[in-house]
Amino acid sequence: MSTSGATDAEAVRALANGALVILPTETVYGLAADAGNAKAVAAVFEAKGRPRFNPLIAHVADAVQAEAVAVFDATARALAEAFWPGPLTLVAPVRDRERVCDLARAGLDSVAVRVPGHARARALISAFGRPVVAPSANRSGRPSPTTFADAVEETGASAAACVDGGPCAVGVESTVVSVMDGKVALLRPGAVTRAEIEALIGPLDPSGEGHRSPGRLTLHYAPDAPVRIEAVAARAGEILLGFGPGVGDARWSLSPSGDLREAAANLFRRLREADREGPLGIAVSTIPSIGLGEAINDRLRRAAGFVG
């Protein structure tokens, strides 16, 4: 078993054989498998300890491959044209139940699909020729890995090949938007912001169906140490993840300058690094819930065990 520095050809062979592959994307590293192979998808759930009711995202090489597995209306096509390749997942009616199996869809009549912004991920998927599921390559509930080393540490033992694509540029999972039954709803905030989406298609439906979306468990992205959000300062035994100039120790800051993109890129890495210190808790400064801050706060609420 190769667990470091795999070539694309080795990764494609592993996928074709029903094995798991650590795959880089621009959001986080994923633990990939053939989306149509139920045994391979089950192996992903097993490796992650992931509940089977939580659907997975089908990653595809391009919009043509996306429409082969999902039914897109004009709105879905407009979103795809504007934001793909990139960190946007569309949930639409399923077209091909074989290429994205029932287990991957959690038994739903919808399918979550996206074209990743990472060029190597797209090339690998294109060479494979079929969609792959690629949930974050962490054990379920743990912070998502945004570096190759963290991905290998988390689930490398379960992978037949691990592809090193460098640090993840975005650092939080994709925005998830449902385009179902004539309604467009934000199911999970991410790097593509609500404002960017609404500027393109108008107001979103306020009643999102969270059960259709990946990554919507209450306690999610959680390190072993308890997480306390909207903290002003660290308590005894805590590490403070600061945000903004002069807040806490610069070593642990999500962004010393108060930049939301930098904070998103650092979020999971800082949580993991702080957790390795064995603190009594991890405190996190207040993050403004504007733009990308909505996605950051969503992940932090889940790390702290709050319903998002």
Side-chain angles (χ1 to χ4, degrees):
M1 179 181 70
S2 171
T3 56
S4 65
T7 66
D8 289 5
E10 289 171 334
V12 168
R13 283 196 297 271
L15 290 170
N17 289 332
L20 307 187
V21 170
I22 285 182
L23 179 75
T25 79
E26 80 281 18
T27 55
V28 299
Y29 271 81
L31 186 62
D34 180 352
N37 183 331
K39 288 184 178 180
V41 173
V44 172
F45 283 114
E46 183 178 15
K48 287 177 59 65
R50 187 185 180 102
R52 280 164 168 73
F53 56 77
N54 205 18
L56 305 179
I57 296 170
H59 294 68
V60 295
D62 52 37
V64 172
Q65 199 176 65
E67 291 209 51
V69 298
V71 179
F72 279 11
D73 60 14
T75 301
R77 290 192 185 98
L79 289 167
E81 182 177 349
F83 299 114
W84 281 356
L88 176 72
T89 293
L90 296 175
V91 176
V94 62
R95 184 190 301 277
D96 189 332
R97 297 170 183 269
E98 299 299 320
R99 284 181 174 264
V100 184
C101 68
D102 186 71
L103 183 59
R105 293 181 288 101
L108 297 171
D109 292 328
S110 58
V111 61
V113 62
R114 90 173 180 102
V115 179
H118 197 291
R120 191 169 182 190
R122 291 197 308 278
L124 196 154
I125 296 167
S126 180
F128 181 55
R130 298 192 296 278
V132 301
V133 296
S136 54
N138 55 292
R139 297 184 300 279
S140 190
R142 294 275 298 159
S144 302
T146 57
T147 67
F148 179 67
D150 282 343
V152 172
E153 178 187 348
E154 283 283 326
T155 54
S158 300
C162 301
V163 178
D164 187 352
C168 299
V170 174
V172 293
E173 292 84 350
S174 61
T175 304
V176 181
V177 173
S178 171
V179 187
M180 299 279 294
D181 305 320
K183 296 180 180 180
V184 186
L186 180 65
L187 303 186
R188 181 178 76 183
V192 177
T193 67
R194 181 191 302 269
E196 289 173 322
I197 295 166
E198 291 188 333
L200 179 69
I201 62 169
L204 293 164
D205 189 297
S207 57
E209 296 179 89
H211 71 282
R212 289 188 181 274
S213 177
R216 298 305 292 174
L217 296 181
T218 302
L219 184 59
H220 206 65
Y221 316 109
D224 292 331
V227 174
R228 183 169 63 90
I229 59 177
E230 299 183 354
V232 176
R235 296 171 180 167
E238 287 184 333
I239 289 175
L240 175 67
L241 303 188
F243 179 81
V247 180
D249 185 337
R251 173 190 174 191
W252 299 111
S253 180
L254 295 175
S255 173
S257 66
D259 182 274
L260 289 171
R261 289 195 176 275
E262 182 182 23
N266 285 332
L267 176 61
F268 290 128
R269 180 162 60 90
R270 289 285 186 266
L271 282 171
R272 296 175 68 90
E273 289 172 346
D275 202 38
R276 289 189 182 113
E277 298 289 316
L280 295 180
I282 299 172
V284 187
S285 295
T286 299
I287 308 293
S289 285
I290 56 173
L292 193 52
E294 183 179 16
I296 296 169
N297 281 313
D298 173 80
R299 305 312 190 271
L300 287 171
R301 283 193 298 271
R302 292 177 184 284
F306 301 136
V307 175

